[in-house]
Amino acid sequence: MEPVIEVQGLTHVYIDAENTKVTALDNIDLQIMPGEFVAVIGANGSGKSTLARHLNALLLPSEGHVKIKGMDTMEEDNLWDIRQTVGMVFQNPDNQIVAAIVEEDVAFGPENIGVLPEEIRTRVDDALKAVDMTAYRTHAPHLLSGGQKQRIAIAGTLALGSECIVLDEPTAMLDPKGRKEILSTMLRLNKEKKITVVYITHFMVEAMLADRVVVMSEGKIRFQGTPREVFSRVEELERLGLEAPLAAKVAFELRKSGMKLPKEIITNEELAAAFG
Amino acid sequence: MSMKLEHVSYTYMPGTPYEKEALKDISLEIKKGEFVAVIGHTGSGKSTLVQNLNGLLHPTKGNASLDGVDLSGKSNEAKMARGRIGMVFQYPEHQLFAETVYEDIAFGPQNLGLNYEETDARVKDAMKFVGLDFETYAGRSPFSLSGGQMRRVAIAGVVAMNPDYLILDEPSAGLDPGSRDAVFAEVMELYKKRGTAIIMVTHSMEDAAQFAKRMLVVYDGRIIIDGKPGEVFLKEKEQLLKVGMDVPEVYKLADALRDKGLRLPKEITDAKTLLAEIKRRKGLR
Ligand SMILES: Nc1ncnc2c1ncn2[C@@H]1O[C@H](COP(=O)(O)OP(=O)(O)OP(=O)(O)O)[C@@H](O)[C@H]1O
Ligand SMILES: Nc1ncnc2c1ncn2[C@@H]1O[C@H](COP(=O)(O)OP(=O)(O)OP(=O)(O)O)[C@@H](O)[C@H]1O
Ligand SMILES: [Mg+2]
Ligand SMILES: [Mg+2]
């Protein structure tokens, strides 16, 4: 199988106003296969958003290559297909609303790429259904809650036909219920529609539900693996300004005090089972 | 000394199709020296509430005052009262504006009418306070900093004005766990050493549980719960879930352990206590 996303030796150097260079990504290699759900975590300034912007050619490599289904982002002819393959959802839902009615907002993307009107109708209906927002079809998006706005933004990328969706801290400004809604929406789309998901977050409990967690620090990928592999490395995470889930931290402390516990405990249920 | 809302209602864009009553008959007193967390679903009215508290918005009905001074007034007294309330906004980058970190932090004290030496001392103090090295950062552009550093500059700018009341709107959103701890260590020092009252809007149940002494739950423009975080999370779990909130992870872990028969006391509100209790039950040191 061909990877959806293939990042080879990617380096990104920003040049700021005072002409100083900031190396935000430093020789990164990463492969993401169709249908994977990959979480990306890392301290502030570690390069997560910069990486995300490379995945639909909003930024171009200073060195190395980014290929989307084999299409190199450096080649201008590929831009159209790349943007259709990979959809982006940003942190602030307010910045993503373009129309005064939910349906029109979702239809905006497909209209822009010249999809036929009948086809748009079905795509919009399907997309709203997928994010469970059909009932809000004719509402005004700016009057919806943050979690609802974020789901409209996701519907917009689905209507575009995106096979892969990149979300950059989509839940940072949401309440606990809104956070759960967005995450479960993405997990469901990933399972049912086989959409590939790249999910950037500072919430470790969200990353725990991914297939794979990528840990970034200072423009590099420090380590990666299943949530279990990554989140049982309690001390290493702390050194990177990150944090393991509470159950993993408690298990770590209990082991230090001499209690025998299975390795790689990361959930409350797993820790509780050890006491059963 | 206290800030007070008396029967405050606030309506956005009255008389238009977008009219929205965001606050409904709220009465509230916050005393100097309190640490209050404000939680509630998106759109419940939290930001509107704190902006009425600091005089940025004026109540449509009722009134907002500080030590008896009406905050909506144009008098010098009202202006002075508003100056005693500092506010760090949800997006600190919207609050920063100067060419250098120094100028940004100096702006407030200068506006209070302090002279050069006094202002300089305040800036140095405030930078030390938030852990920004003077030599390294004073001359840098605030816009070339990372998110966490920007938030610290915004806090320093407010601290330099020596407010009696400090309002923080979502202080930990978008911060990595390490930066979050650093920012809260600073806030706690203000609270403990200077007796500054802290009012913090947050979507993080952990922040509210760990730092606040009092918690307000806002739902649809009204305060529906006002109590100690520890008690509210224990006693009002159902109600909290119903209004889109949650309980902190430590409560969930404690419950999971109890389900497996581990006998733990009811009042476990932080990870340290939980760990100590497990060790005690298991005879570990
Ligand atoms: N436009 C820019 N000009 C100069 N430097 C930049 C620019 N954008 C980002 N940087 C720098 O590049 C590095 C990586 O930034 P990036 O936004 O990718 O981090 P991040 O991991 O998304 O952080 P956060 O968790 O705070 O969102 C940082 O050091 C940042 O200061
Ligand atoms: N300028 C405005 N014009 C009209 N309505 C507004 C305006 N600002 C806020 N509102 C509405 O008032 C209500 C309360 O908004 P507020 O910003 O206080 O909520 P909040 O609790 O801070 O939400 P969040 O957690 O999303 O920041 C919402 O329904 C919102 O849509
Ligand atoms: Mg980012
Ligand atoms: Mg708000």
Side-chain angles (χ1 to χ4, degrees):
Chain A
M1 216 175 359
E2 182 187 43
V4 203
I5 294 171
E6 169 102 63
V7 176
Q8 299 163 330
L10 173 62
T11 293
H12 189 91
V13 181
Y14 286 106
I15 306 206
D16 79 356
E18 295 104 52
N19 246 328
T20 46
K21 292 181 177 177
V22 179
T23 303
L25 295 176
D26 186 2
N27 196 12
I28 285 200
D29 294 312
L30 181 67
Q31 266 196 0
I32 295 175
M33 300 306 283
E36 259 197 295
F37 194 122
V38 177
V40 180
I41 62 174
N44 293 127
S46 58
K48 305 179 298 296
S49 298
T50 306
L51 175 62
R53 288 192 203 107
H54 275 278
L55 302 183
N56 76 345
L58 288 172
L59 289 176
L60 295 176
S62 306
E63 272 172 56
H65 290 275
V66 176
K67 289 177 187 159
I68 306 301
K69 292 204 326 194
M71 299 176 283
D72 196 317
T73 59
M74 285 295 258
E75 281 173 41
E76 234 185 300
D77 289 349
N78 289 335
L79 201 60
W80 191 260
D81 290 331
I82 288 173
R83 296 259 164 92
Q84 244 177 292
T85 309
V86 181
M88 279 278 253
V89 176
F90 296 97
Q91 177 176 326
N92 188 344
D94 287 319
N95 298 344
Q96 304 177 61
I97 294 170
V98 291
I101 295 173
V102 165
E103 279 188 321
E104 288 173 9
D105 196 83
V106 177
F108 181 80
E111 271 166 17
N112 244 356
I113 58 169
V115 179
L116 296 175
E118 321 70 272
E119 166 81 17
I120 291 184
R121 182 75 264 160
T122 14
R123 283 205 194 182
V124 169
D125 289 348
D126 288 353
L128 284 173
K129 196 159 162 242
V131 298
D132 201 14
M133 285 295 286
T134 308
Y136 291 84
R137 236 164 16 96
T138 56
H139 280 233
H142 63 279
L143 298 179
L144 298 174
S145 81
Q148 291 169 332
K149 284 182 200 164
Q150 207 57 291
R151 281 195 271 170
I152 299 299
I154 294 170
T157 61
L158 288 176
L160 261 180
S162 308
E163 296 159 48
C164 173
I165 300 185
V166 179
L167 303 100
D168 192 354
E169 295 194 46
T171 58
M173 291 298 168
L174 300 186
D175 59 43
K177 180 157 165 264
R179 290 205 291 267
K180 281 180 212 158
E181 284 170 4
I182 293 300
L183 185 64
S184 56
T185 300
M186 291 320 298
L187 286 166
R188 189 164 48 75
L189 291 172
N190 171 255
K191 296 253 147 34
E192 289 174 6
K193 298 194 177 277
K194 307 283 174 254
I195 303 232
T196 310
V197 179
V198 179
Y199 194 100
I200 298 172
T201 185
H202 285 301
F203 294 104
M204 306 303 146
V205 286
E206 295 184 347
M208 270 166 68
L209 297 172
D211 297 322
R212 172 154 60 118
V213 181
V214 171
V215 184
M216 294 189 63
S217 153
E218 296 175 344
K220 293 193 169 75
I221 293 176
R222 287 297 150 171
F223 50 96
Q224 54 179 309
T226 62
R228 194 171 303 289
E229 286 160 1
V230 166
F231 287 122
S232 49
R233 296 162 83 159
V234 176
E235 282 176 305
E236 271 167 285
L237 288 169
E238 263 170 34
R239 270 200 297 277
L240 297 176
L242 303 173
E243 181 175 50
L246 182 63
K249 287 197 288 185
V250 170
F252 176 79
E253 292 298 331
L254 289 173
R255 272 187 219 108
K256 272 209 306 206
S257 305
M259 187 169 173
K260 290 255 181 314
L261 284 171
K263 266 194 116 186
E264 302 192 338
I265 285 178
I266 59 168
T267 69
N268 293 345
E269 289 64 37
E270 289 162 2
L271 181 58
F275 287 86
Chain B
M1 295 227 283
S2 71
M3 350 168 76
K4 242 187 200 159
L5 297 183
E6 284 162 304
H7 299 288
V8 166
S9 297
Y10 188 86
T11 305
Y12 285 104
M13 302 201 271
T16 73
Y18 295 110
E19 176 170 318
K20 168 81 195 174
E21 193 181 22
L23 297 180
K24 299 168 183 168
D25 193 23
I26 288 191
S27 293
L28 171 69
E29 180 174 16
I30 295 174
K31 297 207 173 71
K32 180 139 185 353
E34 282 201 80
F35 195 136
V36 184
V38 182
I39 66 171
H41 64 90
T42 55
S44 59
K46 304 178 298 295
S47 294
T48 312
L49 175 70
V50 295
Q51 290 177 62
N52 271 273
L53 275 175
N54 86 338
L56 214 64
L57 295 177
H58 305 317
T60 313
K61 279 190 227 147
N63 76 308
S65 60
L66 180 67
D67 294 345
V69 180
D70 189 322
L71 287 172
S72 64
K74 290 208 167 52
S75 64
N76 219 25
E77 206 188 9
K79 202 179 153 208
M80 296 259 289
R82 288 195 293 270
R84 289 170 52 205
I85 309 167
M87 172 120 172
V88 179
F89 290 86
Q90 204 159 330
Y91 298 92
E93 56 272 38
H94 293 179
Q95 194 165 2
L96 304 172
F97 57 94
E99 303 233 325
T100 66
V101 167
Y102 187 97
E103 289 166 46
D104 216 299
I105 301 172
F107 181 80
Q110 276 163 356
N111 249 9
L112 290 178
L114 300 188
N115 67 25
Y116 174 79
E117 281 81 28
E118 287 166 331
T119 300
D120 191 61
R122 289 269 186 111
V123 172
K124 284 181 175 148
D125 261 9
M127 286 188 69
K128 195 163 158 200
F129 199 90
V130 299
L132 286 173
D133 179 57
F134 187 84
E135 297 303 319
T136 316
Y137 291 103
R140 295 246 321 243
S141 158
F143 301 99
S144 72
L145 301 175
S146 82
Q149 289 163 340
M150 276 194 207
R151 188 149 279 153
R152 285 175 194 215
V153 175
I155 294 176
V158 174
V159 166
M161 302 188 54
N162 236 337
D164 292 326
Y165 298 84
L166 174 60
I167 300 175
L168 303 153
D169 202 343
E170 285 285 342
S172 66
L175 291 186
D176 62 61
S179 307
R180 172 223 181 231
D181 289 348
V183 164
F184 272 110
E186 291 147 16
V187 170
M188 284 314 278
E189 208 170 298
L190 265 188
Y191 168 67
K192 285 186 177 148
K193 290 210 179 133
R194 292 199 194 167
T196 311
I198 311 287
I199 298 109
M200 157 178 93
V201 175
T202 184
H203 280 310
S204 161
M205 304 300 115
E206 330 294 321
D207 290 356
Q210 194 176 345
F211 303 108
K213 304 283 181 277
R214 178 181 175 191
M215 184 164 80
L216 308 176
V217 185
V218 183
Y219 177 73
D220 193 21
R222 298 176 201 277
I223 295 174
I224 57 162
I225 298 177
D226 179 350
K228 292 201 172 74
E231 285 172 16
V232 175
F233 285 127
L234 273 179
K235 293 183 187 144
E236 306 278 359
K237 183 174 167 188
E238 312 260 288
Q239 174 79 344
L240 288 171
L241 292 177
K242 225 165 56 200
V243 299
M245 301 293 100
D246 205 346
V247 298
E249 196 63 24
V250 64
Y251 290 74
K252 296 182 192 169
L253 178 53
D255 276 344
L257 292 167
R258 287 189 194 103
D259 282 351
K260 292 289 176 189
L262 190 69
R263 285 183 36 218
L264 293 169
K266 238 179 103 197
E267 291 82 21
I268 291 186
T269 58
D270 65 283
K272 240 193 202 147
T273 313
L274 176 62
L275 189 62
E277 285 295 336
I278 300 175
K279 284 183 182 173
R280 207 160 63 84
R281 300 282 152 194
K282 291 277 155 191
L284 305 166
R285 1 175 275 116

